[in-house]
Amino acid sequence: MSSQPVVVINAVGMTPRLLEHAPRLRALGEAGWARSLREVQPAVTCTAQASLLTGKLPREHGIVANGWLFRDTREVRFWQQSSALVRAETIETTLRRIGRERGRAFKVAKLFWWFNQGADVDLSVTPKPYYGADGNKVFGIAGAPDGLCERLESRLGKFPFHTFWGPSAGLPCSSWIARAAADVLKDDRPDLSFVYLPHLDYEPQRKGPAGCDMPKLVRELDDAAAPLLDAAKTAGARVWIVSEYGHRDVSRPVLLNRALRKAGLLDVRDGPFGETIDTFDSRALAVCDHQIAHVYAPNPDDVPRVRDLIAGLPGVAGALIGEERAEIGLDHERSGEVVALSDPDAWFAYPYWLDDARAPDFARTIDIHRKPGFDPCEMFFDPALLWPKGRAIRRLIQKKLGFRTLFDVVPLDPNLVRGGHGLPAADPLDRPLLVGDGPEPGVELETVDFHDLLLDQLDQAGSRA
């Protein structure tokens, strides 16, 4: 393995079309090579990262989306961080195993990449709030070894968690992560660093690429990466850039769960906090994730009806069942009995209630672990509120005074969302990007190829050292 440090920056949302607006990142491509990657499906964060790290499709690593229905408990869970969920060997484990075989320790840092908890790495930092018994939540980060997070926050200030997700999501979190990675590279000297910079994942989802000043956003990301690139140059490290997907404009949400409910296939339980899905009595429910949805129908007799219902909805491009799911690598036990794909200009929204007055209380809050689907409406303040930021400030004051309260500032209207991802791009220029060095690959690349390419380059560099 290479004795020269390698830094892998996950610049999510970066595409070959956008690279020209990032002078620092573009220079890396000009000194090495830059290629598009054919997307894994679904082209969403957790699936893409699992495929990058394992070189496998979802049918092998099991990360079929950002969230899915856990069949044993009948709970929908999104954004789980346990590395044990990945059912294939990841690159960090491979490197450490090879290092042991060769009698050389190999130090790996994983900074804000997913599946970080319990990962086979030496250094990790990940977003992890604290949850109180009274329902309170306090922002925070977690990591290893002991003292690393405290050291970083003492030098850089508190991690700006509110800019990592929610209505205020934006540049500060990417800037903080890049500076933290530079600090780790300088002081801890990892052989391989995985660094996640999410800046391009926010405005293009809110407004769609056509509604954003994309050159400005890309330059901001490029500027944010500067401290890390400078630290890499000082350390003599090689830098690779990778992305998970590109964004596209969308114009219409598709509400699968409402269709299932109207058809008598999805049941809800009404209560003091609004309606919640009864996952045990429902004959079908859709776990929506951007432009793909896993529709769970445990009774085989219901599957044809569910498939036909879903396939007939406007905005649905396809509904795959059985072995058909193998066409996109989603023939896995965690997948829904029906896998729905949206039209390119549509996306799947999770709401299942028929009356906003009966929406669950968590629907108007940022609550990524409680919602039974991905909710990009969390990136907006509700425009129906007279002064949404003032409402948030008032809720914060109530919280500080010890009152239990909800930060109910999120809108319920999925039509606000103008950007999405999850499907393969029609144009290679809009696919995810890989910038590397060493010999340029001579074939068209897919997301899963990143794993072997990086391992080969590390090994070849080690042989030359």
Side-chain angles (χ1 to χ4, degrees):
M1 289 291 118
S2 172
S3 58
Q4 183 180 16
V6 175
V7 176
V8 176
I9 297 176
N10 183 346
V12 59
M14 181 65 76
T15 65
R17 188 184 304 278
L18 298 176
L19 186 60
E20 66 174 297
H21 305 299
R24 297 175 181 85
L25 304 186
R26 185 182 68 240
L28 293 172
E30 292 170 348
W33 47 264
R35 300 284 291 276
S36 66
L37 294 177
R38 186 179 295 276
E39 302 91 334
V40 67
Q41 291 194 66
V44 298
T45 294
C46 292
T47 304
Q49 288 196 22
S51 291
L52 290 168
L53 293 173
T54 65
K56 306 292 184 183
L57 293 173
R59 69 163 60 96
E60 296 167 283
H61 60 61
I63 307 303
V64 298
N66 290 321
W68 57 87
L69 177 72
F70 284 64
R71 296 178 187 272
D72 49 356
T73 62
R74 303 297 294 177
E75 294 173 291
V76 177
R77 301 180 193 166
F78 266 71
W79 305 111
Q80 299 297 294
Q81 277 277 23
S82 172
S83 62
L85 292 171
V86 183
R87 295 181 175 176
E89 184 172 275
T90 59
I91 196 168
E92 58 261 32
T93 297
T94 302
L95 288 170
R96 290 163 71 89
R97 174 172 52 79
I98 294 174
R100 287 192 295 269
E101 292 171 357
R102 299 183 180 181
R104 178 186 180 278
F106 200 90
K107 185 184 290 187
V108 180
K110 199 174 182 184
L111 308 176
F112 288 81
W113 277 55
W114 227 252
F115 306 113
N116 213 344
Q117 293 193 290
D120 194 10
V121 298
D122 303 271
L123 302 124
S124 69
V125 183
T126 198
K128 191 70 175 178
Y130 300 92
Y131 296 94
D134 63 352
N136 199 3
K137 179 173 75 173
V138 177
F139 290 148
I141 55 176
D146 288 344
L148 174 60
C149 292
E150 291 78 8
R151 184 190 91 198
L152 293 174
E153 290 197 318
S154 70
R155 295 177 179 179
L156 306 176
K158 289 290 186 181
F159 174 65
F161 204 113
H162 64 289
T163 68
F164 190 71
W165 185 247
S168 299
L171 184 61
C173 68
S174 291
S175 297
W176 193 97
I177 294 169
R179 289 184 290 125
D183 188 283
V184 168
L185 185 61
K186 176 184 176 183
D187 280 16
D188 302 288
R189 297 287 298 179
D191 298 285
L192 176 62
S193 300
F194 291 107
V195 184
Y196 178 66
L197 301 182
H199 180 54
L200 296 184
D201 207 21
Y202 302 134
E203 284 298 285
Q205 281 194 68
R206 289 186 182 105
K207 301 178 180 179
C212 298
D213 185 345
M214 292 304 301
K216 175 177 179 290
L217 293 172
V218 174
R219 287 193 299 272
E220 289 174 347
L221 174 67
D222 194 70
D223 291 342
L228 176 55
L229 298 177
D230 290 344
K233 183 177 181 179
T234 299
R238 304 160 65 188
V239 179
W240 281 35
I241 310 296
V242 72
S243 181
E244 302 162 5
Y245 45 77
H247 296 86
R248 66 176 73 215
D249 294 302
V250 297
S251 59
R252 48 185 175 144
V254 182
L255 285 82
L256 301 180
N257 282 314
R258 287 185 179 172
L260 292 171
R261 183 173 178 181
K262 291 176 181 178
L265 293 166
L266 182 144
D267 286 346
V268 303
R269 181 189 183 201
D270 201 0
F273 307 112
E275 295 178 342
T276 56
I277 295 178
D278 188 332
T279 60
F280 286 92
D281 287 341
S282 291
R283 292 163 59 190
L285 69 94
V287 178
C288 299
D289 194 0
H290 294 281
Q291 294 186 300
I292 193 169
H294 290 278
V295 186
Y296 294 88
N299 186 336
D301 294 338
D302 289 329
V303 172
R305 179 188 173 193
V306 172
R307 186 267 314 275
D308 291 345
L309 172 65
I310 295 297
L313 296 174
V316 175
L320 309 178
I321 64 173
E323 291 304 313
E324 295 172 347
R325 300 171 302 171
E327 299 171 11
I328 56 174
L330 283 173
D331 46 330
H332 189 274
E333 64 186 32
R334 290 174 176 165
S335 293
E337 281 72 23
V338 181
V339 174
L341 304 173
S342 75
D343 285 334
D345 68 331
W347 66 281
F348 295 128
Y350 86 94
Y352 52 85
W353 54 90
L354 305 180
D355 180 354
D356 282 353
R358 300 310 305 146
D361 57 359
F362 58 71
R364 292 181 171 85
T365 71
I366 300 170
D367 204 338
I368 63 172
H369 298 299
R370 194 184 306 270
K371 293 181 179 179
F374 174 72
D375 185 15
C377 287
E378 292 185 341
M379 288 189 293
F380 296 86
F381 283 112
D382 189 347
L385 297 175
L386 182 62
W387 184 29
K389 290 185 179 180
R391 186 187 187 97
I393 293 170
R394 180 158 59 92
R395 293 288 190 251
L396 180 61
I397 293 172
Q398 291 172 326
K399 177 181 173 182
K400 295 292 186 182
L401 291 174
F403 294 100
R404 294 189 64 175
T405 187
L406 294 176
F407 285 81
D408 49 352
V409 296
V410 171
L412 300 183
D413 182 9
N415 291 290
L416 293 170
V417 178
R418 309 306 292 178
H421 57 85
L423 301 174
D427 189 327
L429 290 176
D430 297 317
R431 290 176 182 168
L433 174 75
L434 176 60
V435 172
D437 60 4
E440 182 173 1
V443 297
E444 184 178 64
L445 297 179
E446 300 185 6
T447 294
V448 294
D449 293 325
F450 165 85
H451 175 275
D452 286 353
L453 283 171
L454 183 59
L455 275 180
D456 288 346
Q457 285 304 302
L458 290 167
D459 201 22
Q460 290 175 23
S463 299
R464 293 192 298 267

